[in-house]
Amino acid sequence: MQSNRTVTDMNRAVYIETYGCQMNVGDSEVVLSILQKAGYHRTEKMEEADVILVNTCSIRDNAEQRVLGRLEVFRHGKKGRGTVVGVLGCMAERLKEKLLENKAVDLVAGPDAYRDLPRLIDAVSVDGKQINTLLSHEETYADILPVRMDSDGVTAFISIMRGCNNVCSYCIVPYVRGAERSRDPRSILNEARCLIEAGYREISLLGQNVDSYRWVNPEDATDTVSFAQLLERVALLDESVRIRFATSHPKDMKDEVLFTMARHANICKHIHLPVQSGSDAQLALMNRKYTREGYLERVAKIREILPGCAITTDVIVGFCDESEEDFRQTVSLMEEVSYDGAFMFQYSERPGTKASRTMKDNVPPEVKTARLNEIIALQNRHSLKNNEAYVGRTVEVLIEGTSKRSKDQLFGRTDTNKTCVFPAAGHRPGETVRVKVLSCTSATLISEITE
Ligand code: SAH
Ligand code: SF4
Ligand code: F3S
């Protein structure tokens, strides 16, 4: 017997590490809430933990390699102490039983199996390794109020939906997160109210494709709520609390959402609109279901309805068959839009996706790297140019915390998601202040408080 713990043994310590997107951070908060109810408390020291959990990401191979490296550390950490090590999240769902072959791993639980965690953990000491990777069509953890983790007490996010029904050919998310489900708006509004009462000043609504949020009342099918309606209801809760959202999908983003943003000053003027590629041939192979022209039309609409709205994006280089000409199309699209920011990636083939089954990962690694470096340099120039347009202006900033570099400096963001740093001048996180922008880098607006 490795452990003599029993179900009645209360107040066990759980340590959790989270990788991947904000949805995973939200899920870890749900996991902590479920475990707290079962008598656990959180520890930030791995050595003190009775249960070590790692919430994982499968989006690219390097995300998985990082976690495999951490499992080695956990294996040494638990030697002989009966500590239970569990793998949660997207890698758990993708690799299933294969993960149990890893000596470090005692349990594997997929993204829809977290309610089962207390039972799974208890079962490890009795029956050995445990696994639950069932995906659900209904689970949204709507009734679970997440335990806020590593929070600044100022900004928080709410998962409004789970899963994804798109099948972008490169992407593992639909396989590991299952079908798209929209969460009951009443539980979303309730969570938002709790956050506001607790003093939070900014709420981000999260989903893989928020534009396809659609809730149908199970008791009355004529009672439906769209994303634009949900956004408006959350914005109306407290007009002094900022609302953000992500991610928008170019094929689904409706003008109604833009008009809703225009009507409410507290909905932040920033849209994350991943383009992936500027080449129609690549977009078709990626199964993104829009063209370059269609995408640029969406950008034009944003600029028409919301002048000054920041636009950020995601780009993949080196996807299957990407020619030099295709890549030039991506560069020219980036030139045309001049994004405020971009997350840029080299294509990483994910087993089981349409691309891995039917296409060849045939762009040489050195070409992928060169293309990535080229667009990173380009984006840095655009970020700098867009930031320079702020120099001399006075903007409103929600203070989020103390700058890492100096405790006399605070940082916060504009509603267009630009990070500002400025001398504290007696102000504190959670306050909204007006700052004058004095100078900038490609990442930061250097400013001072004007009132
Ligand atoms: N739901 C969002 C993004 C999800 S994943 C959307 O539809 O845009 C975040 C980003 O990771 C994607 O936008 C894409 O740029 C990148 N990504 C996804 N799969 C990838 C892969 N196999 N290789 C490289 N980058 C990938
Ligand atoms: Fe992946 Fe496409 Fe869904 Fe985004 S929309 S999560 S890229 S399948
Ligand atoms: Fe998020 Fe990574 Fe899963 S990006 S949905 S944690 S594969």
Side-chain angles (χ1 to χ4, degrees):
M1 281 285 277
Q2 270 213 328
S3 160
N4 55 7
R5 275 191 289 271
T6 65
V7 191
T8 52
D9 202 0
M10 297 300 266
N11 218 14
R12 291 168 286 184
V14 56
Y15 169 85
I16 187 161
E17 268 181 29
T18 308
Y19 296 85
C21 63
Q22 285 182 318
M23 318 259 332
N24 249 18
V25 177
D27 278 7
S28 289
E29 296 179 341
V30 164
V31 164
L32 282 178
S33 176
I34 290 168
L35 289 178
Q36 235 174 41
K37 283 208 186 77
Y40 291 81
H41 69 275
R42 182 182 177 214
T43 172
E44 286 180 43
K45 296 198 184 107
M46 187 173 79
E47 320 76 69
E48 288 175 1
D50 301 291
V51 177
I52 297 175
L53 298 176
V54 56
N55 195 359
T56 61
C57 175
S58 288
I59 201 83
R60 284 167 289 274
D61 185 57
N62 54 13
E64 293 200 348
Q65 294 308 325
R66 271 226 315 277
V67 166
L68 294 175
R70 289 304 289 161
L71 288 178
E72 276 308 290
V73 175
F74 299 156
R75 187 163 68 89
H76 293 294
K78 75 173 192 177
K79 256 185 193 146
R81 289 201 307 113
T83 317
V84 172
V85 172
V87 180
L88 314 179
C90 298
M91 240 176 118
E93 195 60 49
R94 192 178 85 72
L95 293 168
K96 299 190 168 66
E97 280 81 8
K98 270 193 218 138
L99 272 171
L100 291 178
E101 290 164 19
N102 186 310
K103 282 206 181 69
V105 179
D106 300 300
L107 84 84
V108 171
D112 289 343
Y114 298 149
R115 287 180 203 270
D116 199 20
L117 272 175
R119 185 192 69 81
L120 290 168
I121 295 168
D122 286 336
V124 169
S125 59
V126 184
D127 298 322
K129 298 192 181 210
Q130 298 292 317
I131 180 164
N132 182 346
T133 52
L134 286 177
L135 284 176
S136 152
H137 282 273
E138 288 90 33
E139 182 65 271
T140 59
Y141 301 109
D143 56 315
I144 293 169
L145 213 49
V147 173
R148 298 292 153 187
M149 221 170 48
D150 306 323
S151 172
D152 52 15
V154 179
T155 63
F157 38 81
I158 301 182
S159 293
I160 62 165
M161 56 209 293
R162 297 182 71 80
C164 182
N165 277 359
N166 297 307
V167 264
C168 303
S169 58
Y170 52 81
C171 183
I172 195 74
V173 170
Y175 301 88
V176 293
R177 290 267 161 179
E180 182 185 283
R181 291 140 269 172
S182 295
R183 182 174 157 189
D184 189 327
R186 291 167 295 196
S187 87
I188 296 169
L189 287 164
N190 185 41
E191 191 174 331
R193 273 187 216 103
C194 291
L195 288 168
I196 294 168
E197 271 164 33
Y200 285 86
R201 306 300 300 156
E202 183 182 293
I203 295 173
S204 299
L205 306 179
L206 294 184
Q208 294 295 354
N209 176 0
V210 291
D211 302 294
S212 64
Y213 176 91
R214 187 164 182 276
W215 185 76
V216 183
N217 187 339
E219 276 114 49
D220 173 8
T222 62
D223 178 15
T224 64
V225 178
S226 69
F227 177 62
Q229 291 167 326
L230 176 74
L231 186 61
E232 181 140 61
R233 288 185 200 178
V234 179
L236 283 170
L237 287 176
D238 182 336
E239 285 172 18
S240 74
V241 172
R242 281 180 169 186
I243 312 300
R244 295 185 186 276
F245 60 88
T247 300
S248 301
H249 196 303
K251 79 176 167 66
D252 296 321
M253 195 193 66
K254 300 185 184 53
D255 293 352
E256 201 195 339
V257 170
L258 304 178
F259 288 123
T260 305
M261 291 173 76
R263 276 199 303 276
H264 297 276
N266 60 328
I267 305 178
C268 293
K269 303 301 178 278
H270 167 219
I271 295 180
H272 186 60
L273 195 67
V275 66
Q276 315 301 357
S277 169
S279 144
D280 280 339
Q282 285 279 293
L283 290 171
L285 280 180
M286 289 175 167
N287 197 29
R288 288 289 286 179
K289 301 205 163 95
Y290 54 84
T291 58
R292 175 192 176 98
E293 193 191 344
Y295 182 90
L296 289 171
E297 185 276 327
R298 291 288 75 201
V299 170
K301 258 294 183 259
I302 295 171
R303 296 201 162 139
E304 176 194 320
I305 299 173
L306 301 165
C309 183
I311 304 178
T312 56
T313 200
D314 295 347
V315 180
I316 298 176
V317 296
F319 183 60
C320 310
D321 289 338
E322 187 189 55
S323 65
E324 183 62 25
E325 178 49 31
D326 290 320
F327 174 64
R328 289 296 138 210
Q329 293 276 309
T330 297
V331 170
S332 84
L333 182 131
M334 291 177 73
E335 295 273 17
E336 206 166 325
V337 178
S338 185
Y339 290 104
D340 291 279
F343 296 108
M344 294 159 279
F345 312 102
Q346 298 186 31
Y347 172 56
S348 164
E349 184 176 89
R350 308 313 295 133
T353 56
K354 175 101 184 293
S356 81
R357 284 182 279 116
T358 65
M359 301 170 209
K360 283 208 177 70
D361 181 9
N362 52 6
V363 177
E366 61 279 10
V367 174
K368 287 183 182 174
T369 308
R371 289 180 182 169
L372 181 64
N373 288 339
E374 181 175 337
I375 59 168
I376 289 174
L378 176 67
Q379 184 52 48
N380 281 339
R381 289 199 294 280
H382 290 164
S383 300
L384 179 63
K385 192 191 79 188
N386 288 321
N387 280 354
E388 277 167 356
Y390 279 76
V391 174
R393 281 173 54 191
T394 299
V395 288
E396 207 169 78
V397 170
L398 171 63
I399 306 176
E400 288 173 40
T402 308
S403 157
K404 281 192 194 85
R405 296 226 180 114
S406 151
K407 64 174 174 28
D408 303 325
Q409 297 268 322
L410 296 171
F411 76 93
R413 278 174 298 157
T414 64
D415 82 327
T416 52
N417 210 32
K418 308 270 179 200
T419 301
C420 296
V421 295
F422 41 88
H427 289 273
R428 284 212 303 271
E431 291 174 26
T432 300
V433 291
R434 291 180 70 75
V435 304
K436 179 161 188 200
V437 182
L438 305 172
S439 63
C440 71
T441 66
S442 62
T444 315
L445 302 179
I446 295 137
S447 15
E448 68 184 13
I449 294 176
T450 59
E451 52 187 10

